[in-house]
Amino acid sequence: MSSFLAGIIGLIAFILIELKVSSPIVELNLFREKTFTSSCIIYFATGFALVAPAVIFNYYLQNVLNYDALHATLMIIPVSLAIAVTMPLATRLSDKISAIPVNLIGMLLIAGSLLSFSFITTTTPKRVMIVFSIIVGSGFGFSTVSFVSSVRHLPKSKTGIGSGITNASRQIGTCLGIAVLVTVLNTNISTAKSHIQNHSVAIINRKNLSPNVKNTAKSGIRQIFSSNDQKNVNYTSRQKQFTKQLKHAALNKSSMPRPKKGTDYRKLYDATFKISEGNQKINVSLQKLAGTTTTNKVLNNSIIALSDGTLTLLNGQKNMLEAIKLLAQRDELKSSLSEIKKEKNTSLSHAFSKTYVICAFLLLLCSPIALLSDKRQKKTH
């Protein structure tokens, strides 16, 4: 806040000084020309909006979709290619029909494409995202006509400083865009993380998991989706560590719950348990019979062998019951992680969508200014 206040004071001082000195760095009188002023505002707005595809979208590709830097770059290249193609076309059109409709089309294309960016999710096909990038690049290509129109009606002696001011407005727009949009995005992501954390913990609580697995999962979730993270957190490493801890906890056979009612695992578990109970009764009966049968050694030995076999079968059935519990818990855990992943992707996509919408709203707000970005030359007789 102190830096913000110092910036405002510095800006006010700069304007007052520029109005008084004989050779100002920025000739504020140039802003009396409506075409120049409106073109500067358009250039400022497009510089602000450029942050969305160049920074915000790139962040989404690398940190949400887990693309590497080269892959993300290839997805963003169509923006620059579209600008290179549409700039000459926009210049020719502005010479024929004036810069007003060209600038307006550019602003509306950028705003519309950023609104389309807000619908991007983790399941959006690459070709669709590339089309959106081409549209936003075309909008920037058309809006660059505002740079030409900004100095078109200035005195020739002022075109140099005029173009410098226009370029500066674009750079200021980009710098302010990074500051504002990244701050908004960070706020949205922090809110999304809090929502994901609460929702994920609720998912784990209602799942049929052992206390050990539940505690490990909830602890890992709170750590991964912490809203108090510092910069440059290695989420990939953190997720790998979480997966390792969760696997270790899932292999612990103590306090495993029975499979959920109504599932095939529960039916198999109940059937095996009933058979095990029956074998347990048989084993008890055989042991009693072996203790009372002493005259016939052959029969006694057979009963003892049968009792030992039944005991072995009971141990096998015990292991089978544990295996059924492990398999049921594994599927429950997979289902939990799938739900958490879906919630994570949805919440983070919404966080980015809100940022794109804010940027698009600014462009729509500034688009009527394009109607002042040029003026017809008066006919002379």
Side-chain angles (χ1 to χ4, degrees), residues 113-161:
S113 61
L114 290 178
L115 286 176
S116 65
F117 267 81
S118 67
F119 293 101
I120 291 177
T121 64
T122 54
T123 59
T124 302
K126 291 181 182 179
R127 59 182 178 273
V128 174
M129 291 189 284
I130 291 173
V131 170
F132 291 165
S133 298
I134 292 173
I135 295 173
V136 73
S138 300
F140 283 115
F142 275 84
S143 64
T144 52
V145 171
S146 60
F147 178 72
V148 179
S149 62
S150 65
V151 297
R152 181 174 290 174
H153 304 291
L154 292 179
K156 290 184 178 180
S157 60
K158 303 297 182 182
T159 55
I161 190 171

Side-chain angles (χ1 to χ4, degrees), residues 151-377:
V151 297
R152 181 174 290 174
H153 304 291
L154 292 179
K156 290 184 178 180
S157 60
K158 303 297 182 182
T159 55
I161 190 171
S163 63
I165 293 172
T166 308
N167 263 323
S169 66
R170 174 77 172 267
Q171 298 298 330
I172 292 171
T174 302
C175 293
L176 189 61
I178 291 174
V180 172
L181 293 179
V182 171
T183 300
V184 170
L185 178 62
N186 285 339
T187 302
N188 291 339
I189 288 177
S190 180
T191 303
K193 281 183 176 181
S194 179
H195 174 76
I196 295 167
Q197 183 185 123
N198 294 334
H199 191 80
S200 300
V201 170
I203 290 173
I204 294 297
N205 282 332
R206 70 170 179 261
K207 290 295 180 177
N208 192 35
L209 301 167
S210 69
N212 188 30
V213 171
K214 283 189 175 183
N215 292 333
T216 302
K218 288 189 286 187
S219 176
I221 287 167
R222 291 190 180 100
Q223 186 179 19
I224 290 176
F225 299 113
S226 173
S227 57
N228 298 321
D229 285 334
Q230 300 299 319
K231 295 180 179 179
N232 302 321
V233 175
N234 190 340
Y235 287 101
T236 302
S237 175
R238 184 178 287 183
Q239 289 178 10
K240 286 182 179 179
Q241 183 66 21
F242 170 64
T243 304
K244 184 178 179 181
Q245 292 173 351
L246 203 55
K247 285 181 177 179
H248 180 74
L251 292 175
N252 190 336
K253 298 179 181 179
S254 62
S255 302
M256 281 192 303
R258 289 185 297 174
K260 189 183 292 184
K261 289 183 178 180
T263 63
D264 291 337
Y265 284 120
R266 182 59 179 266
K267 294 176 183 177
L268 181 60
Y269 179 88
D270 289 343
T272 304
F273 187 77
K274 287 180 180 179
I275 294 172
S276 178
E277 282 185 327
N279 288 333
Q280 180 70 33
K281 292 178 181 178
I282 292 172
N283 183 260
V284 172
S285 298
L286 287 172
Q287 287 179 357
K288 290 180 178 179
L289 186 60
T292 58
T293 307
T294 56
T295 56
N296 192 332
K297 292 184 178 180
V298 176
L299 180 59
N300 191 50
N301 291 335
S302 298
I303 293 173
I304 292 173
L306 187 58
S307 177
D308 292 340
T310 307
L311 187 61
T312 302
L313 183 60
L314 283 170
N315 290 330
Q317 288 170 340
K318 180 183 177 182
N319 292 333
M320 187 174 179
L321 289 172
E322 288 184 344
I324 293 171
K325 286 182 179 180
L326 284 171
L327 290 172
Q329 181 168 258
R330 181 201 64 181
D331 286 2
E332 279 286 284
L333 195 53
K334 281 186 176 181
S335 173
S336 302
L337 295 178
S338 178
E339 289 183 38
I340 291 170
K341 183 179 180 181
K342 183 178 179 181
E343 180 63 30
K344 180 203 73 171
N345 290 338
T346 301
S347 297
L348 290 179
S349 294
H350 285 168
F352 281 84
S353 296
K354 292 176 184 177
T355 309
Y356 294 133
V357 169
I358 290 174
C359 194
F361 178 75
L362 174 67
L363 266 294
L364 289 174
L365 196 64
C366 295
S367 58
I369 298 174
L371 300 175
L372 302 174
S373 62
D374 200 1
K375 59 184 179 182
R376 296 288 186 181
Q377 295 286 352

Side-chain angles (χ1 to χ4, degrees), residues 87-112:
M87 277 181 66
L89 176 62
T91 303
R92 292 180 182 180
L93 283 175
S94 66
D95 291 338
K96 292 182 179 181
I97 61 175
S98 89
I100 291 176
V102 179
N103 285 328
L104 184 60
I105 290 172
M107 298 282 280
L108 294 178
L109 277 176
I110 297 172

